[in-house]
Amino acid sequence: MSENLNGLKRTHMCGELGKANIGETVTIMGWAQRQRNLGSLIFIQLRDRTGIVQVAFNDADKATMKQGVFKKAESVRSEFVLAITGKIAARTSENINPDMKTGEIEITAFDMLILSTAETPPIYIEENLDANEAVRLKYRYLDLRRPDMQKFLMLRHKIAKVTREYFDSEGFLEIETPVLTKSTPEGARDYLVPSRVHNGKFFALPQSPQIFKQLLMIAGYDRYMQIVKCYRDEDLRADRQPEFTQVDLEMSFVDVEDVLAIDEGYMKKLFRDVLDIDIETPFVRLTHAQAMERFGVDKPDTRFDMELINISDVVAGCGFKVFSDEVAAGGSVRAINAKGGADKLSRKKIDALGEYVKNYGAKGLAWIVLEADGNIKFPIAKFFEDTEMKNLLEATCAKPGDVIFLIADKNKVVFDALGHLRLKVAEQLEIIDPKQFSFLWVTEFPMFEYDEEEGRASAVHHPFTAPMDEDVAMLETEPLKVRAKAYDMVLNGSELGGGSIRIHSSEVQSKVFKLLGFNEESAQERFGFLLDALKFGTPPHGGTAFGFDRIVMLMGGTDNIKDVIAFPKVQTSACLMTDAPSSVDEKQ
């Protein structure tokens, strides 16, 4: 039978009690972690979000313990909700529990209320739970009781608090932007909301506040920020959700350097105030072209070496046609050197890696194993002269104990396949330091890429990104060579945030829209309010959007974004707990 508080007030949180409280009478409230019945002595561990404390019920203690309390303590099971009043006592030296924050003390109970009973939960309420994720998400309210999940959400709160403090100190105003807005092409599918009043018309949930924050700059607000919900109807990954949170910011009268300085200052304060880590600024910078050449991806993990090596010149004339023909056709042959990999990468693992790179378009994977005794295993060695083999090993800095992986194809395929292979091999060799935080900027992205389906250029970032000043003239002559004033902040191989300087000239914006396949009429239909606004005095402006969930994920040391979101969706964009999305009745 559940009892009511009847005016009883909690005096302390469970995990906040310690030696300083010895002798005090306290009232605590929370969930029973476990109960141990030793006959005339019962121990209950009580848990709230701050931690666990042990409570002792002594049947012989008739003087101070209220009548009937011991019998109630006998009935307590895991996850009962209790209110307990008692006195803090020191544990004897042999009973101190060094694994508990409150392990030096326990509470001698005087009184207890059972506020709520509980059925046996379908998952254990404990740290490092090895349970099926689908079950955890179906009973998410139970999963969130676990201490490690609570730490993630408390970390999220602290990161949000420090975020607001930093941007407030830098003169930013937090301004909300609409959730029901107009559908605009921004790269992913929109979530649509039908309008009851305007039959047959739809609102879209925002993929980002991009246009609105630009309008705020035109409106003269100078510095804007927002911790904002965004929505994209796209396939999910471990670090992506359909409903996610951004730290969004925009600044007026700035160029690239001004924005990067603000962003680096934000990271510096975040890591110092939240994790007590002093990160080094300014961050390393790579142009997009440099990142691709060295790492094969535009968000490189620089916690380890194993950079790509272009060996096209070395193998251009070799007898292995796969290599020489690809170079002749304008492609390339590139390699990575897995230093010391010969002992750890078995033939079975190497064959599996050959299958792995096919996911990224590679037709195959060539390899050389240099064993410690000097023996070389190279399945295609017969196609190479001794001199060519020597040059190949020198070009890849190969030494006994190393494994060399080689891929030949179009540059795009080689970069993609080797860039991902580099990460996979590093994981298998266990050379990535999980405690290291390696920041860098990737800058000067291409402004456009060629869309083969549409037969025209498409925006790499979004259609409001400004071109590099020196490349503006190429908009009409060689648009695919135009570089953008765009930048991504990368941490440990994850894109933490990205942004750009925006176009503030209606003339340049119209040229970009034309390149992207919008005629004057269609551009006006989709973006008319922005094009109109650009005519009324627009300051140079730019900003960044940080993935807030991703920041919490990386700072919290998890690789699953669902861990840091209270009620996340699964791979199918469904919520297992609420069964959303669901059918609605015809009237609705």
Side-chain angles (χ1 to χ4, degrees):
M1 175 104 180
S2 298
E3 300 174 277
N4 295 319
L5 287 171
N6 293 323
L8 184 67
K9 302 294 183 185
R10 178 168 57 183
T11 62
H12 294 77
M13 302 290 281
C14 296
E16 294 173 352
L17 296 168
K19 287 172 68 176
N21 303 104
I22 289 173
E24 294 180 21
T25 297
V26 299
T27 298
I28 56 172
M29 301 178 187
W31 287 261
Q33 180 71 14
R34 61 183 297 216
Q35 183 245 49
R36 284 187 298 145
N37 191 332
L38 304 180
S40 62
L41 190 62
I42 294 173
F43 292 104
I44 292 176
Q45 291 185 342
L46 199 70
R47 182 193 74 244
D48 62 21
R49 76 180 197 201
T50 63
I52 297 175
V53 68
Q54 180 166 284
V55 184
F57 297 79
N58 190 339
D59 193 29
D61 188 6
K62 309 293 186 187
T64 57
M65 190 164 63
K66 196 172 177 181
Q67 187 175 0
V69 168
F70 190 84
K71 189 168 183 61
K72 281 198 286 186
E74 287 181 313
S75 72
V76 170
R77 298 292 178 265
S78 293
E79 301 311 305
F80 276 30
V81 182
L82 310 175
I84 298 173
T85 300
K87 189 173 184 178
I88 306 291
R91 291 199 200 193
T92 57
S93 57
E94 64 270 19
N95 288 321
I96 288 174
N97 185 345
D99 296 326
M100 282 178 66
K101 185 178 166 186
T102 59
E104 293 182 295
I105 57 105
E106 67 181 17
I107 299 174
T108 302
F110 300 160
D111 196 6
M112 180 180 74
L113 299 175
I114 298 178
L115 302 175
S116 178
T117 60
E119 296 180 5
T120 302
I123 62 172
Y124 291 111
I125 312 302
E126 62 185 13
E127 284 193 282
N128 304 314
L129 179 67
D130 183 19
N132 182 280
E133 187 177 71
V135 177
R136 287 176 52 203
L137 292 176
K138 181 173 178 59
Y139 298 96
R140 186 63 163 182
Y141 43 87
L142 297 178
D143 192 40
L144 290 175
R145 287 183 191 174
R146 297 191 304 107
D148 43 357
M149 294 304 299
Q150 291 178 333
K151 286 172 191 171
F152 284 134
L153 291 191
M154 287 189 276
L155 175 70
R156 187 183 178 102
H157 160 76
K158 188 168 184 180
I159 291 172
K161 178 175 177 288
V162 173
T163 295
R164 288 190 165 96
E165 287 172 355
Y166 173 75
F167 286 107
D168 179 64
S169 72
E170 293 291 337
F172 285 76
L173 302 176
E174 184 165 6
I175 304 173
E176 294 178 347
T177 51
V179 174
L180 295 176
T181 183
K182 183 182 175 73
S183 177
T184 58
E186 293 188 49
R189 288 180 293 272
D190 288 323
Y191 279 103
L192 300 176
V193 180
S195 169
R196 178 184 60 83
V197 178
H198 303 280
N199 190 34
K201 296 190 175 181
F202 295 82
F203 294 104
L205 301 183
Q207 294 184 31
S208 78
Q210 182 60 49
I211 294 178
F212 288 102
K213 67 180 183 179
Q214 289 192 245
L215 291 172
L216 286 169
M217 297 303 100
I218 296 171
Y221 285 87
D222 200 76
R223 290 190 168 198
Y224 139 96
M225 72 79 58
Q226 188 181 188
I227 300 179
V228 59
K229 281 283 186 186
C230 302
Y231 310 86
R232 293 182 185 175
D233 185 7
E234 58 187 353
D235 296 333
L236 305 193
R237 297 193 301 247
D239 63 350
R240 181 185 284 172
Q241 283 276 298
E243 174 182 6
F244 60 97
T245 306
Q246 281 184 185
V247 176
D248 203 49
L249 61 122
E250 197 78 5
M251 306 162 61
S252 291
F253 305 108
V254 294
D255 213 330
V256 173
E257 295 299 327
D258 306 293
V259 182
L260 300 195
I262 284 288
D263 291 348
E264 288 182 359
Y266 169 45
M267 285 298 128
K268 195 167 184 70
K269 179 174 176 61
L270 210 54
F271 275 74
R272 183 179 59 239
D273 289 10
V274 177
L275 298 182
D276 196 26
I277 294 173
D278 191 20
I279 60 174
E280 189 176 334
T281 55
F283 298 161
V284 170
R285 294 191 195 182
L286 296 174
T287 66
H288 178 267
Q290 289 169 336
M292 298 304 291
E293 282 287 333
R294 291 175 58 184
F295 302 101
V297 294
D298 59 9
K299 48 181 183 182
D301 190 335
T302 53
R303 288 175 294 175
F304 61 98
D305 294 324
M306 212 189 307
E307 295 187 17
L308 275 60
I309 306 162
N310 191 342
I311 57 169
S312 302
D313 291 344
V314 178
V315 300
C318 75
F320 188 53
K321 290 291 187 181
V322 173
F323 286 0
S324 55
D325 287 356
E326 196 60 63
V327 175
S332 65
V333 184
R334 296 169 196 261
I336 56 172
N337 184 341
K339 305 296 291 183
D343 290 337
K344 294 184 178 179
L345 299 174
S346 65
R347 178 61 189 268
K348 185 178 178 181
K349 285 184 177 179
I350 290 173
D351 289 344
L353 292 172
E355 292 302 309
Y356 176 75
V357 296
K358 290 179 182 178
N359 296 324
Y360 302 97
K363 301 179 190 73
L365 177 66
W367 50 268
I368 307 170
V369 175
L370 293 90
E371 295 178 333
D373 60 7
N375 187 37
I376 297 177
K377 293 181 180 178
F378 186 24
I380 56 174
K382 63 183 179 181
F383 296 103
F384 290 80
E385 302 289 342
D386 289 347
T387 303
E388 290 172 337
M389 188 67 185
K390 180 174 177 290
N391 292 339
L392 176 57
L393 296 178
E394 285 181 357
T396 55
C397 302
K399 297 283 188 286
D402 296 346
V403 179
I404 312 300
F405 293 104
L406 310 97
I407 292 179
D409 215 305
K410 298 182 183 69
N411 278 337
K412 188 176 187 304
V413 172
V414 173
F415 286 147
D416 204 19
L418 271 184
H420 285 90
L421 180 67
R422 173 180 177 268
L423 290 170
K424 189 78 171 175
V425 171
E427 289 170 5
Q428 292 185 354
L429 297 181
E430 298 179 333
I431 58 173
I432 303 175
D433 181 357
K435 295 182 180 178
Q436 183 182 350
F437 293 101
S438 182
F439 286 90
L440 65 108
W441 286 109
V442 177
T443 63
E444 297 181 25
F445 280 80
M447 189 159 173
F448 307 103
E449 59 189 357
Y450 188 72
D451 187 327
E452 293 187 5
E453 284 187 23
E454 298 289 333
R456 57 170 173 78
S458 64
V460 170
H461 275 65
H462 55 64
F464 319 113
T465 302
M468 298 277 286
D469 296 339
E470 57 269 38
D471 292 356
V472 172
M474 290 193 291
L475 281 173
E476 296 181 15
T477 57
E478 297 179 285
L480 294 179
K481 291 186 178 180
V482 175
R483 296 164 300 158
K485 287 187 177 181
Y487 37 82
D488 280 357
M489 183 187 288
V490 178
L491 172 58
N492 295 354
S494 289
E495 179 194 331
L496 212 55
S500 66
I501 300 301
R502 326 301 185 188
I503 297 168
H504 69 282
S505 159
S506 56
E507 180 186 354
V508 174
Q509 187 67 78
S510 296
K511 284 182 181 179
V512 170
F513 281 150
K514 187 177 179 182
L515 272 168
L516 297 175
F518 296 104
N519 58 31
E520 192 172 329
E521 184 180 343
S522 60
Q524 191 65 33
E525 181 187 345
R526 292 292 188 99
F527 307 105
F529 56 101
L530 177 63
L531 294 175
D532 290 344
L534 289 171
K535 298 172 185 174
F536 293 99
T538 302
H541 60 285
T544 309
F546 288 100
F548 183 70
D549 310 296
R550 207 169 284 178
I551 290 174
V552 182
M553 180 182 79
L554 291 169
M555 293 182 75
T558 177
D559 58 3
N560 190 341
I561 208 163
K562 292 193 283 290
D563 287 344
V564 300
I565 297 173
F567 302 103
K569 306 291 190 293
V570 294
Q571 194 73 24
T572 58
S573 297
C575 174
L576 299 183
M577 185 183 70
T578 63
D579 287 330
S582 60
S583 302
V584 296
D585 62 45
E586 197 62 37
K587 183 179 179 182
Q588 232 181 325

